[in-house]
Amino acid sequence: MTTIGNNLQQVRARIDAACAHAGRGAGEVSLLAVSKTFGPEAVRDAALAGQLAFGENYVQEAVEKIALVGAMGLPQRLQWHCIGPLQSNKTRLVAAHFDWVHTVDRLKIAERLSEQRPGDRAPLQVCIQVNVDGGPTKAGVAPGEAVALARAVAQLPRLTLRGVMAIPDAMEGFEAQSAVHERARGVWTEVRAALASDGVPGWERVDTLSLGMTGDLEAAVHAGSTMVRVGSGIFGGRHYPPAG
């Protein structure tokens, strides 16, 4: 088994242990392998070890990688998630090539994704990114504005609202990590309750809380995450290209 395959086993074991500790079923939390900056060969190795869902931050890199991986003849279709900040000039590429977008934080982006989603593809699955820390330079809608955005996004064609995503600042210690993750779960719960109260068709599909990474997945699972996003724990340390 490859190193990536071994790492996947270890991460899955961590998720299972975290679920058991939280009194949750092992199947309640899915794993998104964050493959940004890693080549198609790394994705292939993870796929051959049973991983089918992959997250990418950089749109142009991802589009090229999706094509290269698609040409490898893997036995199962992979699922691609956009988890990076999304600007208006990238929405057409994302709408055409991805299955999920986790980083919708304003209506304009959602409207463009809806308009640009090809008619021959399944609806694009989207999460609303919430800035649970309140940092002025961080992406994400303010928690108090999440319900209004969710209501608007849920009405758009060719999109399916699936839940809430957050990327809190890194914190030390399980208790501190859990506290901020609990705030994200509170927003997700509020969004679900509001859409159910409104009688929005499909509100029950808002079943995803995208929360937790390599360093804090245990706290995220304890707080109710349904999807953890793990990169370095699977693929190793990253080497970012120089800015320019």
Side-chain angles (χ1 to χ4, degrees), residues 63-182:
V63 168
E64 295 171 2
K65 190 182 303 181
I66 289 169
L68 290 170
V69 173
M72 288 180 168
L74 292 170
Q76 291 178 282
R77 183 185 180 279
L78 305 185
Q79 189 182 80
W80 295 94
H81 296 234
C82 178
I83 59 173
L86 189 53
Q87 302 301 319
S88 295
N89 64 346
K90 299 293 186 182
T91 55
R92 187 174 298 278
L93 282 173
V94 171
H97 294 280
F98 283 86
D99 302 293
W100 283 65
V101 178
H102 291 228
T103 49
V104 172
D105 61 359
R106 55 199 187 278
L107 184 57
K108 176 184 177 182
I109 292 295
E111 289 173 337
R112 289 177 65 87
L113 290 170
S114 173
E115 292 165 1
Q116 295 167 347
R117 183 66 168 176
D120 61 349
R121 295 210 58 182
L124 186 63
Q125 312 296 295
V126 300
C127 291
I128 291 171
Q129 183 175 358
V130 179
N131 180 0
V132 293
D133 298 303
T137 62
K138 293 187 65 176
V141 65
E145 300 172 4
V147 167
L149 180 57
R151 284 176 166 142
V153 171
Q155 304 300 320
L156 294 173
R158 293 188 290 280
L159 301 183
T160 298
L161 180 63
R162 293 298 301 270
V164 166
M165 178 266 224
I167 310 175
D169 285 334
M171 295 186 178
E172 292 295 330
F174 183 85
E175 295 300 326
Q177 293 169 355
S178 295
V180 70
H181 290 327
E182 290 282 358

Side-chain angles (χ1 to χ4, degrees), residues 161-211:
L161 180 63
R162 293 298 301 270
V164 166
M165 178 266 224
I167 310 175
D169 285 334
M171 295 186 178
E172 292 295 330
F174 183 85
E175 295 300 326
Q177 293 169 355
S178 295
V180 70
H181 290 327
E182 290 282 358
R183 294 204 294 272
R185 184 179 69 174
V187 175
W188 176 52
T189 300
E190 185 180 4
V191 165
R192 281 175 52 86
L195 297 181
S197 177
D198 293 347
V200 174
W203 72 266
E204 66 280 357
R205 291 197 296 269
V206 184
D207 56 2
T208 301
L209 178 57
S210 173
L211 189 65

